[in-house]
């Protein structure tokens, strides 16, 4: 999905900051973002039901309302 | 003129018995409801009073005959399924094959959130209590709307409206709003089509289950505008708009905006403020198309020829609502009305510029972000069972397992209320409506309340041969201001009934 790629932010930043600084800045931010993502996924991994396929197969509901 | 109005929600929870996928869901639902009732309702258990229910009355002015009605539409016949009234004024019961919680009547969007979230906690406690029953069934409940195999169950909203408002105006102005509001209050779904056979992610749990524009049914041929007209109030003065198109939200902000923005649009319709024609061509197809495009670029075609995205269509309503509140209330606008407007605007602007920045506010974005993180880390395709599992488990009501709850715990989703406020709402009724009278009577005189419903409390008093029915037809009477002192001063049900009949 394209959501994460469509920000026009890059152009604005380049105007104000030297290019090298932008790169290290972005790299740094990406690193802390990656840590962040890893932390939450690790936590979710711990609680996710173990056999996804079986779970999905057996999740059967009747219609309601 | 504001977001304030008598309203409530009713949510059917998905149910599964761990290790027993073929267990009868009606039995499991009854176990959940009865376990909660036995543990919390003191003395005798008041029955639900069906006298005033008329689920086959149609807002267009006719009654559907019972012979042509589908049996699933007959909700007013006491099927012997569990059904209980709580001291917070809510109703907890079994509807078809799901446990359902209806909030007490409240008058503000934040109070909807409060008593709707209290319902999640009631369900959580109920399922835990059911584990003590013979056989120790391990029942897990999900606040979602589909099994992704063809079945859907509802999360309905109810709004009290002036009877004098023409139903055609409601249909005309509300349909485009309902086609588009999912961009804010969709709960997100892995899979497309009623049985989920098409791969991918969509914004709404429910969109694919809507097949007609207007109608009475809720279980088949579901309509965008439901015409059930059962006001539980003076039918000369009021109608109850029964909204069946929403998703069950976990996010407090999503529920708050869903109800708050809808209440504002209803106020504009009642006051005939909307002159513009926002009619959408092919609403049912448009509803699905908007849901199927989480990039939010999908447009719908307006009758006037314009093509608008779901977000742009919402902005049309926001502009109207801003002008309306300014025109009718000006500097007197209440805090919640202004807050709903400000949040509505902020969310729409973010949906336009950077939707993923709403991962801490909206269910469909929070779920999508998590799914995309898994997809990128583990290289998963959209038909991978793990992604489907994440979709289901997002709505698991258990704090230790539910992914919504894990995200809240990790500080990744904003809240409007704290745990204490929600816990209090599990037992305490709202103070501004008749739910206060109902809840307090159940709390204080449980042994002598034979039955109750939205519009009555029926007492069985010692020494009296006939039951004493106290009608509560006006949703705004029976509030704390009306009866709080009286209940405080009446030590017994007899004293209360005597004081009420003076």
């Amino acid at each position: 999905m394209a959501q994460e790629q469509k920000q026009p932010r890059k152009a604005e930043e380049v105007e104000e900051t030297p290019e090298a600084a932008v790169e290290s800045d972005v790299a740094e931010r990406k690193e802390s973002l990656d840590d962040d993502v890893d932390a939450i996924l690790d936590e979710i991994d711990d609680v996710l039901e173990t056999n996804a396929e079986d779970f999905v197969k057996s999740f059967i509901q009747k219609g309601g309302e | 003129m504001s977001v304030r109005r008598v309203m409530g929600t009713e949510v059917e929870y998905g149910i599964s018995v761990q290790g027993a996928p073929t267990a009868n869901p009606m039995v499991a639902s009854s176990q959940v409801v009865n376990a909660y009732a036995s543990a919390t309702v003191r003395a005798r258990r008041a029955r639900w009073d069906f006298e005033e229910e008329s689920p086959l009355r149609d807002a267009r002015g006719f009654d559907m005959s019972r012979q042509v009605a589908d049996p699933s539409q007959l909700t007013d016949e006491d099927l012997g399924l569990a059904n209980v009234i709580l001291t917070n004024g809510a109703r907890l019961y079994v509807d078809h094959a799901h446990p359902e919680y209806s909030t007490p009547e409240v008058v503000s969007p934040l109070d909807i959130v409060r008593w709707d979230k209290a319902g999640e906690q009631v369900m959580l406690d109920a399922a835990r209590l059911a584990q003590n029953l013979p056989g120790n069934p391990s029942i897990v409940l999900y606040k979602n709307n589909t099994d992704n195999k063809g079945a859907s169950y509802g999360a309905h909203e109810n709004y009290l409206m002036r009877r004098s408002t023409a139903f055609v105006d409601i249909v005309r102005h509300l349909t485009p709003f309902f086609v588009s509001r999912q961009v804010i209050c969709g709960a997100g779904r892995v899979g497309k089509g009623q049985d989920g056979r098409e791969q991918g992610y969509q914004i709404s749990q429910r969109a694919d289950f809507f097949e007609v524009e207007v109608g009475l049914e809720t279980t088949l041929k579901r309509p965008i505008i439901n015409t059930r007209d059962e006001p539980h109030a003076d039918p000369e003065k009021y109608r109850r708009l029964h909204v069946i198109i929403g998703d069950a939200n976990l996010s407090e902000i999503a529920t708050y905006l869903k109800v708050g923005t809808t209440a504002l649009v209803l106020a504009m319709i009642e006051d005939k403020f909307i002159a513009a024609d926002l009619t959408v061509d092919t609403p049912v197809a448009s509803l699905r198309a908007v849901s199927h495009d989480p990039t939010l670029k999908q447009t719908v075609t307006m009758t006037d020829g314009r093509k608008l995205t779901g977000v742009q269509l919402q902005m049309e309503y926001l502009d109207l609502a801003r002008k309306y509140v300014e025109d009718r209330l000006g500097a007197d606008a209440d805090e919640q009305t202004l807050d709903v407007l400000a949040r509505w605007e902020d969310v729409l602007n973010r949906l336009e510029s950077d939707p993923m920045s709403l991962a801490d506010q909206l269910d469909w974005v929070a779920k999508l972000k998590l799914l995309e993180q898994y997809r990128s880390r583990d290289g998963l395709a959209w038909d991978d069972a793990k992604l489907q599992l994440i979709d289901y488990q997002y709505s698991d009501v258990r704090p230790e397992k539910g992914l919504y709850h894990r995200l809240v715990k990790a500080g990744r989703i904003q809240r409007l209320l704290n745990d204490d406020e929600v816990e209090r709402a599990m037992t305490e009724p709202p103070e501004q409506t008749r739910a206060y009278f109902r809840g307090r009577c159940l709390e204080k005189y449980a042994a002598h309340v034979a039955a109750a419903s939205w519009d009555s409390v029926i007492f069985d008093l010692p020494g009296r041969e006939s039951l004493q029915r106290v009608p509560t037809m006006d949703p705004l009477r029976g509030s704390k201001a009306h009866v709080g002192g009286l209940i405080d001063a009446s030590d017994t049900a007899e004293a209360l009934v005597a004081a009420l009949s003076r």
Side-chain angles (χ1 to χ4, degrees):
Chain A
M1 225 142 291
Q3 270 108 339
E4 280 147 24
Q5 298 149 16
K6 69 177 181 201
Q7 269 57 273
R9 205 174 286 153
K10 209 191 280 168
E12 291 160 27
E13 280 173 3
V14 170
E15 277 172 13
E16 290 167 19
T17 355
E19 222 161 279
V22 170
E23 267 168 27
S24 80
D25 199 42
V26 167
E28 219 167 85
R29 226 187 317 153
K30 185 168 186 316
E31 203 167 293
S32 81
L33 222 64
D34 284 348
D35 286 351
D36 210 35
V37 170
D38 288 347
I40 191 68
L41 293 197
D42 284 350
E43 189 185 327
I44 302 281
D45 282 339
D46 286 345
V47 300
L48 270 186
E49 303 288 350
T50 41
N51 191 331
E53 225 146 278
D54 278 1
F55 186 92
V56 169
K57 239 179 259 164
S58 63
F59 191 85
I60 299 166
Q61 301 290 314
K62 286 228 184 331
E65 307 171 78
Chain B
M1 276 189 283
S2 67
V3 294
R4 297 179 73 79
R5 163 179 307 273
V6 174
M7 45 199 182
T9 62
E10 18 173 337
V11 180
E12 297 173 355
Y13 285 70
I15 183 165
S16 72
V17 184
Q18 288 187 313
T22 57
N24 182 331
M26 288 193 197
V27 172
S29 298
S30 293
Q31 287 175 321
V32 166
V33 172
N34 282 325
Y36 192 81
S38 312
T40 59
V41 181
R42 280 170 304 168
R44 72 189 280 173
R45 190 188 305 170
R47 288 165 43 82
W48 187 257
D49 171 28
F50 283 107
E51 192 168 311
E52 298 286 346
E53 300 236 339
S54 42
L56 302 183
R57 186 153 305 145
D58 192 299
R60 291 166 296 188
F62 51 85
D63 277 12
M64 185 188 246
S65 91
R66 278 187 181 268
Q67 285 73 28
V68 304
D70 187 271
S72 66
Q73 284 177 275
L74 303 177
T75 58
D76 61 342
E77 280 173 39
D78 194 342
L79 300 167
L81 293 173
N83 197 339
V84 64
I85 310 129
L86 309 180
T87 58
N88 68 357
R91 179 188 184 193
L92 176 67
Y93 59 117
V94 178
D95 198 1
H96 306 295
H98 300 273
E100 175 162 344
Y101 170 91
S102 299
T103 66
E105 305 90 324
V106 302
V107 296
S108 77
L110 190 60
D111 277 352
I112 287 276
V113 177
R114 195 185 308 270
W115 273 279
D116 186 86
K117 293 305 276 190
E120 292 175 27
Q121 296 306 304
V122 165
M123 287 291 181
L124 173 66
D125 278 8
R128 283 177 175 163
L129 288 161
Q131 287 200 325
N132 303 327
L133 294 171
N136 310 104
S138 181
I139 298 172
V140 183
L141 301 175
Y142 297 84
K143 197 185 188 191
N144 65 0
N145 302 105
T146 180
D147 62 0
N148 209 37
K149 298 176 182 69
S152 185
Y153 31 102
H156 299 172
E157 302 143 64
N158 297 292
Y159 302 89
L160 199 71
M161 294 188 71
R162 293 205 287 261
R163 171 65 64 187
S164 55
T165 302
F167 200 72
V168 290
D169 288 346
I170 298 176
V171 172
R172 180 159 165 236
H173 299 304
L174 208 49
T175 303
F177 179 74
F178 282 167
V179 166
S180 53
R181 74 172 186 168
Q182 55 182 322
V183 299
I184 296 171
C185 56
R189 176 179 172 201
V190 174
K192 297 178 184 175
Q194 295 193 353
D195 59 7
R197 77 177 55 175
E198 201 188 320
Q199 281 186 41
Y201 186 76
Q202 62 171 315
I203 291 170
S204 160
Q205 290 256 306
R206 294 270 284 166
D208 288 347
F209 295 92
F210 284 76
E211 295 172 281
V212 299
E213 293 173 29
V214 181
L216 181 58
E217 290 85 359
T218 58
T219 52
L220 38 130
K221 287 189 293 170
R222 292 184 185 86
I224 293 174
I225 305 283
N226 183 241
T227 55
R228 184 189 290 183
D229 189 0
E230 202 185 358
H232 299 308
D234 181 352
E236 301 282 314
K237 279 162 68 181
Y238 300 113
R239 77 167 75 250
R240 172 178 61 122
L241 186 71
H242 186 235
V243 173
I244 68 167
I245 197 168
D247 287 4
N249 289 112
L250 277 300
S251 154
E252 295 177 1
I253 292 174
T255 298
Y256 179 72
L257 283 176
K258 173 171 66 182
V259 171
T261 61
T262 302
L264 273 174
V265 172
L266 295 180
M268 291 196 285
I269 295 171
E270 282 184 333
D271 285 347
K272 300 191 188 307
F273 187 80
I274 307 179
D277 185 0
L278 296 174
T279 304
V280 168
D281 285 350
T282 63
V284 174
S286 298
L287 173 77
R288 293 183 191 187
V290 169
S291 181
H292 287 193
D293 179 22
T295 69
L296 301 169
K297 293 192 181 71
Q298 176 69 47
T299 57
V300 300
T301 305
M302 313 292 289
T303 303
D304 65 13
R306 288 184 299 162
K307 288 187 189 300
L308 301 182
T309 65
V311 177
Q312 288 165 342
L313 185 45
Q314 280 288 299
M315 281 176 169
E316 299 272 325
Y317 280 96
L318 168 66
D319 280 347
L320 285 168
R322 278 213 172 284
K323 289 186 187 123
Y324 170 72
V325 170
E326 179 57 37
D327 183 66
R328 302 299 156 103
L329 297 171
D332 297 330
D334 63 287
E335 209 181 304
Q336 251 185 71
T337 299
L338 295 176
D339 186 52
V340 166
L341 284 172
R343 286 178 183 274
W344 192 3
E345 180 167 356
D346 177 60
V347 163
L348 291 178
N349 286 338
R350 284 168 183 270
L351 286 171
E352 282 270 287
S353 62
D354 183 10
M356 292 318 275
S357 72
L358 291 163
D360 62 347
Q361 296 196 48
L362 305 183
D363 286 315
W364 77 265
V365 186
K367 196 186 277 181
L368 177 58
K369 183 175 176 184
L370 192 57
L371 292 162
E372 289 290 10
Q373 286 170 341
Y374 267 92
R375 276 163 52 76
S376 102
R377 189 192 72 177
D378 299 348
L380 305 177
W382 276 112
D383 63 348
D384 195 286
K386 195 164 191 177
L387 299 182
Q388 187 67 61
L389 169 65
I390 289 169
D391 185 357
Y392 296 142
Q393 207 175 325
Y394 181 85
S395 67
D396 187 328
V397 301
R398 296 172 297 176
E400 68 278 14
K401 291 294 260 184
L403 304 188
Y404 164 80
H405 292 285
R406 302 315 306 164
L407 291 171
V408 168
K409 184 97 177 160
R412 285 159 197 267
I413 291 188
Q414 297 180 37
R415 297 186 63 182
L416 299 173
L417 300 166
N418 62 43
D419 288 346
D420 289 345
E421 290 171 306
V422 173
E423 194 178 327
R424 268 206 304 283
M426 291 171 70
T427 50
E428 292 177 12
E431 295 179 351
Q432 298 88 348
T433 67
R434 62 189 174 194
Y436 181 82
F437 179 73
R438 182 186 318 125
R440 286 295 312 276
C441 285
L442 263 302
E443 172 247 326
K444 194 162 179 180
Y445 317 111
H448 298 293
V449 178
S453 68
W454 303 121
D455 37 36
S456 70
V457 176
I458 297 176
F459 292 94
D460 185 359
L461 301 177
R464 299 283 280 273
E465 232 164 72
S466 58
L467 299 173
Q468 309 293 306
R469 187 168 195 271
V470 178
T472 54
M473 282 301 276
D474 186 338
L476 288 171
R477 293 190 65 83
S479 67
K480 184 176 185 186
H482 287 121
V483 299
L486 204 61
I487 294 173
D488 287 342
S490 302
D491 289 337
T492 64
E494 291 128 287
L496 177 75
V497 172
L500 284 169
S501 29
R502 264 202 293 275

